[in-house]
Amino acid sequence: MTSPASVDTSAPQNTAVPALTLTIAGSEATGGAGAQADLKTFQELGTYGIVALTCIVSFNPKDQWNHRFVPVEAQVIADQLEAIQACYAGELKTVKLGMMGSPVTIDTVATALDAQEWDNVVLDPVLICKGQEPGHALDTDQALKAQLLPKATFVTPNHFEAEQLSGLTINNVEDLKAAAKAIHEISGAAVLAKGGVRLSGDEAIDVFYDGETLEVLSAPKIGEHAVSGAGCTLAAAVTAELAKGATPLEAARTAKRMVTEGIKNRKESHAPFDALWQGGALS
Ligand code: PXL
């Protein structure tokens, strides 16, 4: 073992103590989505980012960029969470839940969440990601709804997920409002339901509802080209802002701004979608 490096006390010290933010999420190897997007967002918003990995997704360029999905073994997920929770016991109060991928992972994560109190549990209910066939993992969807949704204090469904969770069909803003209200009723959480490019019109519309305030958040749509990482970044930004003490509505507004700017600054690649970039988005 090497001994810790000695600290030069004459050097300027950064005295700010960052808020802790944990993401329990999958790796998306190309860096656009998943844990990579979460960590970049946490860093950009000034929180201390921590990751427990649930799975590894590698797009397949030889097969239309479809997802190759490998779950992390349940015991290894439990081990990561044990290390993290012991390391920051009493201080870690904010967690984001991203892609889980299997019922056994959801079970493992739910057990770890039950081991402590949380101020903020932000659930990005990733049911499918770009390129995947809808509905191939019904058992995972049901486990997420039964075991994680009730623990959430804030949930960020996209158009498809909002339809799945609410049981409603969403064709316009009024439908999106109804879905946000329905998801609040079943979860008790603040809801930021994303219309994204799925609703027609020139604006990208999201609906916030927390049981009291209903607010439509709107920003001009930026092109028609698909961008990955928007959902992950939105939920991660909400997580960081909540950890820093923002109200849910303030967190939603800041997150929407970050995603809009991040899409403007997107990174092009050889994949059929660009990747949102968080760098400098709010500075
Ligand atoms: O964008 C949803 C998402 C979340 N997490 C991981 C992903 C994706 C989509 O590709 O790969 C790990």
Side-chain angles (χ1 to χ4, degrees), residues 112-234:
L113 291 179
D114 282 343
Q116 66 163 93
E117 300 286 322
W118 300 93
D119 291 340
N120 307 298
V121 177
V122 179
L123 174 64
D124 186 10
V126 181
L127 298 183
I128 50 163
C129 38
K130 282 188 180 60
Q132 273 186 309
E133 286 300 315
H136 86 292
L138 248 189
D139 50 350
T140 304
D141 300 0
Q142 280 162 359
L144 189 131
K145 206 167 169 176
Q147 291 178 263
L148 297 183
L149 189 60
K151 297 187 192 306
T153 62
F154 199 119
V155 56
T156 61
N158 64 20
H159 180 271
F160 173 77
E161 294 152 357
E163 287 193 330
Q164 296 298 307
L165 295 177
S166 68
L168 301 172
T169 302
I170 302 170
N171 291 319
N172 53 47
V173 182
E174 292 311 312
D175 295 341
L176 195 60
K177 288 181 188 169
K181 286 184 175 171
I183 296 167
H184 171 76
E185 294 308 324
I186 56 174
S187 64
V191 179
L192 183 57
K194 302 170 277 183
V197 289
R198 292 303 178 99
L199 296 186
S200 59
D202 297 334
E203 298 284 308
I205 289 178
D206 302 334
V207 169
F208 174 89
Y209 184 67
D210 64 356
E212 288 175 8
T213 305
L214 181 78
E215 183 161 305
V216 175
L217 306 180
S218 180
K221 280 184 187 163
I222 307 155
E224 292 296 319
H225 198 59
V227 178
S228 81
C232 302
T233 301
L234 187 84

Side-chain angles (χ1 to χ4, degrees), residues 25-29 32-36 38 54-59 67 69 96 98-100 124 126 128-132 161 228-232 273:
S27 163
E28 189 279 274
Q36 288 86 337
D38 292 346
T54 55
C55 60
I56 298 178
V57 170
S58 315
F59 298 140
H67 291 205
F69 165 84
K96 184 206 144 177
M99 184 166 171
M100 298 291 140
D124 186 10
V126 181
I128 50 163
C129 38
K130 282 188 180 60
Q132 273 186 309
E161 294 152 357
S228 81
C232 302
F273 37 80

Side-chain angles (χ1 to χ4, degrees), residues 94-117:
T94 299
V95 61
K96 184 206 144 177
L97 309 177
M99 184 166 171
M100 298 291 140
S102 76
V104 65
T105 296
I106 289 171
D107 218 44
T108 307
V109 169
T111 302
L113 291 179
D114 282 343
Q116 66 163 93
E117 300 286 322

